[in-house]
Amino acid sequence: MTVNPAHTSLWPAPQASAAVDATVHVPGSKSVTNRALVLAALAAEPGWLRRPLRSRDTLLMAGALRAMGVGIEETVSSSSSVAGGGQGSGEAWRVIPSGLRGPATVDVGNAGTVMRFLPPVAALADGPIRFDGDARSHERPLNGVIDALRALGARIDDDGRGSLPLTVHGGGALEGGPVSIDASSSSQFVSALLLSGPRFNQGVEVRHTGSTLPSLPHIRMTVDMLRSIGAQVDTPESGGEPNVWRVTPGALLGRDLTVEPDLSNAQPFLAAALVTGGRVVVPDWPARTTQPGDKLREIFTEMGGSCELTDRGLEFTGSGSIHGIDVDLGEVGELTPGIAAVAALADSPSTLRGVAHLRLHETDRLAALTKEINELGGDVTETADGLHIRPRRLHGGIFHTYDDHRMATAGAIIGLVVDGVQIENVATTAKTLPDFPDLWTGMLGN
Ligand SMILES: O=C(O)C1=C[C@@H](OP(=O)(O)O)[C@@H](O)[C@H](O)C1
Ligand SMILES: C=C(OP(=O)(O)O)C(=O)O
């Protein structure tokens, strides 16, 4: 967790002069867009993605698939049913699968979805595919994917550290079959193997052997999206063994999918209503979803807000009071930075648990949140698997972001009600939400 010296730009986080009252069109989900791209690329026929997220992570995914021979055409879609102001609204991507091939080079940036979901795809390609990315990508764990692919028949050259850079020597097909992995450091290991599983000769049976498994909703998202394009998937929830997922080999259908708004990226806007005692409406909030951000309805209600799903979307209202919370965030780890920011402004202490794996995210998020909130006068301590947050009167200062989009949005939440907060490198939000500064000032009516 080091400050990136290349980023000296400081964004004065706007303060809310009154309770916010806004409707915010949140762009599409990163997790849905990147799964949809992979599945469409592996399908037996062309498919459509409507209102895809266009951000660093999804453009890296699209670029990587193109490098392996997949056609991805960007069009402005007239049939997009929902009007919206967000990035990517009204756009559609047509994905035309083709024989996957190397040689190719893939830049994963710092996208967990790209670095984990694509090596199994590369094992199906004909030719070598080289993977590399940002310096942080060399530190994020990939051993679950590398070891599993080797056990399933792939040839991979790496430096033995269980992370990038590496080359997958695709042989045009992969045998597949049963494999055991420890996915306690990232659910994306499981998702990665399941997504390509229908295309392995024997399909795949993934058995998680570790003691904990984070981000279960993201695994459910993988399973739901696989089933929706014709894959047969057996899961612990559908009567299978605990911690075992089985995907039957078979062709995937091309489909027409409209991407839901990114509910984890809705978080800072809902938080704005909570910390200013205002109201924010997020249109197109899905009535049923596997996105972990849906859990915010419960968490932010416990922290003092209230919400209602209406035909206008999710209407979230702050009460003027912010309460601390004691919560296990293991299933929804990516919500931790935003919850920590709100907790630092609450009227009682909070304990956030179950998120030790956040030390291996975009940055060490537990260390980064502790340091940055404390430098504004806060009182945060790290525990073995989370944070204790005792609210204190905060003051202005520089909020460093460590190339982490969710650190930047967490700092912006605090800056709404604390004078003089400056966010270093707010542009890092482009990883999943390139429009963030404009959406934020738009919400404040500026
Ligand atoms: O599969 C996905 O789309 C994701 C899974 C989660 O990863 P981890 O299980 O590594 O936390 C989550 O934190 C990440 O933002 C997105
Ligand atoms: C952990 C995250 O991303 P990634 O997909 O890079 O793991 C995140 O978006 O919070």
Side-chain angles (χ1 to χ4, degrees):
M1 198 195 79
T2 45
V3 174
N4 188 336
H7 302 306
T8 47
S9 74
L10 296 178
W11 184 68
Q15 252 189 291
S17 51
V20 301
D21 186 0
T23 294
V24 183
H25 291 270
V26 176
S29 157
K30 163 199 80 171
S31 292
V32 173
T33 301
N34 275 358
R35 282 169 174 73
L37 281 171
V38 170
L39 291 172
L42 294 172
E45 54 194 3
W48 285 97
L49 258 81
R50 303 196 189 273
R51 304 183 73 210
L53 173 67
R54 294 186 95 261
S55 73
R56 184 174 188 226
D57 279 15
T58 63
L59 294 176
L60 286 168
M61 182 64 95
L65 291 168
R66 283 192 183 112
M68 288 191 254
V70 177
I72 301 175
E73 295 167 359
E74 301 192 37
T75 62
V76 174
S77 141
S78 49
S79 59
S80 181
S81 58
V82 197
Q87 177 96 3
S89 296
E91 291 190 10
W93 289 351
R94 181 163 167 77
V95 182
I96 303 148
S98 75
L100 298 161
R101 57 170 192 270
T105 301
V106 168
D107 176 10
V108 309
N110 188 11
T113 49
V114 183
M115 71 180 86
R116 275 106 183 209
F117 296 175
L118 287 188
V121 175
L124 294 165
D126 212 346
I129 315 285
R130 167 103 184 140
F131 288 85
D132 204 351
D134 297 358
R136 176 63 175 171
S137 74
H138 296 184
E139 297 166 0
R140 298 188 68 185
L142 200 55
N143 55 316
V145 175
I146 297 171
D147 295 348
L149 284 177
R150 284 200 177 114
L152 297 172
R155 187 156 78 81
I156 299 176
D157 280 342
D158 68 339
D159 61 11
R161 293 181 310 113
S163 58
L164 292 176
L166 58 78
T167 300
V168 179
H169 295 274
L174 194 75
E175 197 43 35
V179 70
S180 294
I181 59 170
D182 178 352
S184 49
S185 61
S186 175
S187 66
Q188 291 175 345
F189 297 171
V190 176
S191 288
L193 296 164
L194 300 184
L195 285 168
S196 290
R199 290 281 305 269
F200 301 163
N201 298 345
Q202 295 181 39
V204 73
E205 182 190 278
V206 180
R207 183 177 298 270
H208 164 63
T209 56
S211 53
T212 55
L213 181 58
S215 317
L216 262 177
H218 277 115
I219 296 180
R220 288 190 201 112
M221 180 186 289
T222 300
V223 170
D224 265 28
M225 290 183 69
L226 273 162
R227 286 179 176 153
S228 74
I229 56 166
Q232 192 193 316
V233 191
D234 300 317
T235 69
E237 283 113 342
S238 62
E241 274 180 79
N243 291 321
V244 178
W245 294 261
R246 196 172 296 116
V247 181
T248 306
L252 297 174
L253 309 171
R255 69 167 287 203
D256 192 326
L257 174 84
T258 301
V259 176
E260 300 168 354
D262 193 309
L263 306 187
S264 297
N265 277 340
Q267 181 182 39
F269 305 99
L270 303 182
L274 187 52
V275 304
T276 67
R279 195 178 68 109
V280 163
V281 178
V282 178
D284 306 320
W285 194 283
R288 183 193 159 272
T289 179
T290 49
Q291 286 193 64
D294 197 35
K295 193 83 177 161
L296 286 169
R297 293 195 284 151
E298 198 179 307
I299 295 171
F300 277 174
T301 297
E302 196 176 330
M303 296 186 86
S306 61
C307 65
E308 201 185 344
L309 257 181
T310 69
D311 30 337
R312 283 164 31 87
L314 183 74
E315 304 196 13
F316 186 84
T317 312
S319 61
S321 308
I322 313 163
H323 310 309
I325 190 167
D326 183 335
V327 64
D328 187 330
L329 296 176
E331 293 212 341
V332 296
E334 67 180 17
L335 304 179
T336 305
I339 293 170
V342 173
L345 303 168
D347 57 15
S348 58
S350 291
T351 302
L352 311 184
R353 289 176 285 108
V355 284
H357 69 291
L358 261 62
R359 296 192 165 96
L360 299 167
H361 274 185
E362 279 80 337
T363 186
D364 176 341
R365 285 179 165 163
L366 301 185
L369 287 163
T370 303
K371 178 162 182 299
E372 297 309 313
I373 295 174
N374 287 351
E375 284 193 356
L376 300 182
D379 183 1
V380 181
T381 44
E382 273 187 63
T383 64
D385 74 338
L387 298 173
H388 279 311
I389 302 170
R390 287 159 299 269
R392 297 277 181 268
R393 175 177 286 279
L394 301 181
H395 54 71
I398 296 176
F399 197 89
H400 297 97
T401 53
Y402 312 96
D403 295 324
D404 183 347
H405 53 147
R406 297 197 203 279
M407 284 299 291
T409 50
I413 294 167
I414 295 174
L416 281 175
V417 291
V418 176
D419 190 18
V421 175
Q422 302 196 76
I423 312 292
E424 173 250 351
N425 187 25
V426 74
T428 195
T429 52
K431 185 176 192 284
T432 59
L433 189 54
D435 277 352
F436 176 71
D438 285 349
L439 286 168
W440 198 245
T441 48
M443 170 189 76
L444 294 169
N446 301 329

